[in-house]
Amino acid sequence: MAGRLSFANITALAPMVRVGTLPMRLLALDYGADVVYCEELIDMKMVQCHRVENEVLQTVDFVAPDERVMFRTCAREKRKVVFQMGTADPERALSVARLVEKDVAAIDVNMGCPKEYSTKGGMGAALLSDPDKIEAILTKLVGGVSLPVTCKIRILPSLDDTVTLARRIEKTGVAAIAVHGRLKEERPRHPVHCDYIGAVARAVSIPVIANGGSLDLVKCHDDIRAFKEACAASSVMLARAAMWNPSVFRRAGPLPLHDVMTQYLKYALRYDNHAFNSKYCLCQMLRDKVESLLGKRVQAAQNNRELSEAYGLDDVFEETQAELEARRHALRSPEWRRGDVVAMDGDVATMALKFQRRQYPPQLTPKMFLLEWSRRQKTAQPTYHTVQRAQDRAFQSTVTVDRKKYRSSLWEKSKKFAEQASAVVCLRALGIPEGREGEENGGRQQKRKMEDDRDSDEEKRKKRMSDGDRESDKNVEPTLHA
């Protein structure tokens, strides 16, 4: 099909846990990689995510119930990025593939990683001993999505068994097979088995992507062709060689490592990459220089500002933060806020929103504002009905106000946050100020109004008590003294 990603004669950034996030993928594309794989993402975590178009970062984010961004991508890599998942369940694999289908170029199933992170639950290299499940997963994906589907395997102890498995995989209709030329028990210190990869390449008609040559065979871009020829493969996938210096993909030769790390950090700042993930990737590039003065500063950094200072990128950090804050400010405009979409779920008004505690002044919450509003309207106090989801123990709450119901369609990490989210939905649906910092007639003004109302009520109560006492005095007969 026209426009589909081809795996023939390509050089790819291999999937690497904690390394294959957006900044590294973009950097690899800058330096000449044809295709980039994201880090392996587990189906059980991804299936709980919801898709968010991040207008500030201009990305598409897949966000877990606890608000962590599990996968972030952008338009720049849309036709080049392969989403790799860890799975042992055909139906769940298909659900995840359909979730990300319109934002990536292909879907890959990890069948080669030997680490416990991947093998628990029968995923990763554990699948190599269950070819029936391999076939079921790949067949379900090939038939269920419009994108190319691939898989990444390790070799089996027997050459014949490896070839037999590859042929069985080919029959499912996958677009390519990536072969790491080591047994699942072997590690990088063991030599890569180019002969096994070559046997697979000769046995199937689809592209075979050779993997595993970083330590022994691939030191620079010129070595990529030699590794491909040694394996008789159509394409090559690089992991550690690219992790150590992504400019290995440059035909003109690698760049100085400091320049590469600086460019990586610029992408990390631009796309708000988590500081600890950025620090991990920078330390991998530093390798034996991790105990240098720069390395120690990187290891000690606790946030992106400190990482920027270590590389002399203070001005870049400030400029990037100012640019992102300007976008946030534009999106906070009243016109944008009123764009909240209310949808009806039966008799419940819903909005897709999360409770963000930092948006509200200290000691003030949406529940407080809603309670105060109800009191002034002389309606019954709001009541909250909260449920917990078994699969991830997340919470969702429905608030009833004046016999109408409101809730957020997104799940929260705690009962308190779920109740606050439902209160926000109610306040926004009714057009009531909720007290957010910077909100017109909100924040401190609302707090003062609530305090003034309470003071006024207290004065009225005292006056009623005083009037009652005087009235009571009139009705008491005078005491007769002897």
Side-chain angles (χ1 to χ4, degrees):
M1 292 176 62
R4 283 168 65 95
L5 182 63
S6 171
F7 292 88
N9 195 31
I10 62 157
T11 304
L13 175 71
M16 290 177 281
V17 172
R18 299 180 68 185
V19 175
T21 48
L22 182 58
M24 183 65 80
R25 299 197 304 266
L26 293 178
L27 199 58
L29 290 174
D30 283 350
Y31 292 141
D34 301 299
V35 174
V36 289
Y37 284 67
C38 75
E39 61 178 333
E40 178 195 16
L41 294 163
I42 305 302
D43 59 354
M44 282 289 288
K45 295 180 180 179
M46 282 300 302
V47 80
Q48 299 170 26
C49 291
H50 61 279
R51 181 183 182 276
V52 176
E53 293 188 12
N54 188 326
E55 296 183 58
V56 174
L57 298 179
Q58 299 170 338
T59 59
V60 174
D61 299 344
F62 293 85
V63 184
D66 62 2
E67 299 186 50
R68 285 188 300 160
V69 177
M70 301 304 299
F71 175 57
R72 171 169 286 163
T73 185
C74 67
R76 162 83 196 289
E77 67 169 4
K78 184 174 181 179
R79 297 182 182 276
K80 301 288 188 179
V81 65
V82 180
F83 180 89
Q84 189 190 65
M85 77 173 83
T87 185
D89 182 271
E91 293 296 337
R92 199 157 53 236
L94 182 58
S95 295
V96 173
R98 286 177 171 169
L99 175 67
V100 303
E101 183 175 9
K102 67 179 183 178
D103 298 300
V104 300
I107 303 294
D108 183 80
V109 180
N110 179 1
M111 300 178 176
C113 184
K115 296 183 179 179
E116 185 182 358
Y117 171 88
S118 295
T119 57
K120 62 183 178 182
M123 300 181 294
L127 284 171
L128 295 174
S129 59
D130 194 347
D132 290 341
K133 184 168 286 186
I134 287 177
E135 183 176 348
I137 292 170
L138 294 177
T139 300
K140 176 68 73 172
L141 287 172
V142 170
V145 295
S146 59
L147 300 175
V149 175
T150 65
C151 68
K152 183 172 183 286
I153 67 171
R154 282 196 170 219
I155 62 173
L156 300 174
S158 161
L159 182 60
D160 288 343
D161 289 343
T162 304
V163 169
T164 298
L165 176 62
R167 284 174 171 160
R168 188 169 180 179
I169 288 172
E170 180 185 21
K171 289 179 181 177
T172 66
V174 295
I177 307 175
V179 182
H180 184 127
R182 291 186 179 87
L183 300 168
K184 65 180 181 180
E185 296 83 11
E186 293 180 326
R187 294 297 177 264
R189 65 180 181 274
H190 297 106
V192 61
H193 300 275
C194 294
D195 54 336
Y196 274 63
I197 301 175
V200 171
R202 288 187 289 271
V204 298
S205 59
I206 57 177
V208 169
I209 308 169
N211 178 230
S214 289
L215 185 63
D216 299 329
L217 303 175
V218 181
K219 310 292 185 185
C220 62
H221 186 273
D222 290 343
D223 297 332
I224 295 174
R225 177 181 295 276
F227 178 49
K228 182 167 71 171
E229 291 175 353
C231 296
S234 171
S235 301
V236 170
M237 174 185 285
L238 298 179
R240 283 165 301 133
M243 176 179 71
W244 295 328
N245 188 338
S247 68
V248 69
F249 292 109
R250 288 184 82 243
R251 292 183 181 277
L255 293 171
L257 189 59
H258 192 277
D259 294 350
V260 174
M261 291 190 291
T262 297
Q263 188 58 43
Y264 169 85
L265 190 50
K266 287 179 180 179
Y267 273 133
L269 296 174
R270 165 65 182 81
Y271 290 102
D272 195 25
N273 200 52
H274 196 288
F276 290 122
N277 178 255
S278 300
K279 181 163 72 170
Y280 177 84
C281 292
L282 290 168
C283 286
Q284 297 307 308
M285 292 187 223
L286 284 165
R287 297 182 70 191
D288 57 350
K289 296 182 177 62
V290 77
E291 293 302 322
S292 65
L293 180 60
L294 174 61
K296 289 178 179 178
R297 291 192 67 184
V298 170
Q299 292 183 74
Q302 295 299 303
N303 51 52
N304 283 327
R305 179 186 291 277
E306 293 177 2
L307 285 174
S308 301
E309 291 171 351
Y311 285 89
L313 296 178
D314 312 53
D315 291 345
V316 174
F317 175 83
E318 296 297 343
E319 291 169 5
T320 304
Q321 293 305 303
E323 179 184 347
L324 296 180
E325 184 54 37
R327 291 181 193 166
R328 292 188 188 99
H329 180 74
L331 293 173
R332 288 192 200 112
S333 65
E335 293 79 9
W336 177 79
R337 287 205 303 272
R338 292 284 71 79
D340 291 325
V341 178
V342 180
M344 296 304 297
D345 183 2
D347 63 342
V348 183
T350 70
M351 289 183 187
L353 58 81
K354 288 280 200 178
F355 172 63
Q356 303 287 345
R357 184 67 187 92
R358 64 181 178 274
Q359 294 181 356
Y360 299 87
Q363 287 81 51
L364 289 179
T365 66
K367 285 182 66 177
M368 292 173 61
F369 283 101
L370 184 56
L371 177 61
E372 191 70 16
W373 179 84
S374 299
R375 185 188 63 77
R376 291 199 302 270
Q377 298 298 312
K378 298 181 180 179
T379 64
Q381 289 189 7
T383 58
Y384 297 85
H385 174 68
T386 305
V387 296
Q388 187 175 27
R389 189 164 58 185
Q391 63 195 55
D392 60 355
R393 305 186 67 78
F395 294 85
Q396 188 179 60
S397 186
T398 302
V399 62
T400 301
V401 177
D402 197 20
R403 291 177 291 182
K404 294 181 180 178
K405 299 177 180 179
Y406 307 85
R407 70 164 168 255
S408 171
S409 59
L410 306 183
W411 293 72
E412 293 280 5
K413 61 185 178 182
S414 71
K415 180 175 182 289
K416 288 182 179 180
F417 274 40
E419 291 179 350
Q420 296 291 358
S422 66
V424 174
V425 171
C426 178
L427 291 165
R428 292 192 190 179
L430 296 176
I432 304 166
E434 65 200 67
R436 281 187 292 178
E437 290 279 15
E439 181 181 46
E440 186 178 0
N441 298 323
R444 294 183 179 88
Q445 294 179 6
Q446 287 291 315
K447 182 180 181 182
R448 284 196 295 269
K449 187 176 188 329
M450 290 168 66
E451 291 171 346
D452 291 344
D453 288 344
R454 282 197 292 270
D455 291 343
S456 177
D457 288 348
E458 181 64 17
E459 291 174 3
K460 291 176 183 177
R461 186 184 67 81
K462 289 179 179 178
K463 186 175 186 302
R464 285 196 301 271
M465 290 180 64
S466 178
D467 291 345
D469 289 344
R470 283 195 291 270
E471 187 67 29
S472 179
D473 289 344
K474 293 178 183 178
N475 296 329
V476 174
E477 292 186 5
T479 303
L480 298 176
H481 293 278

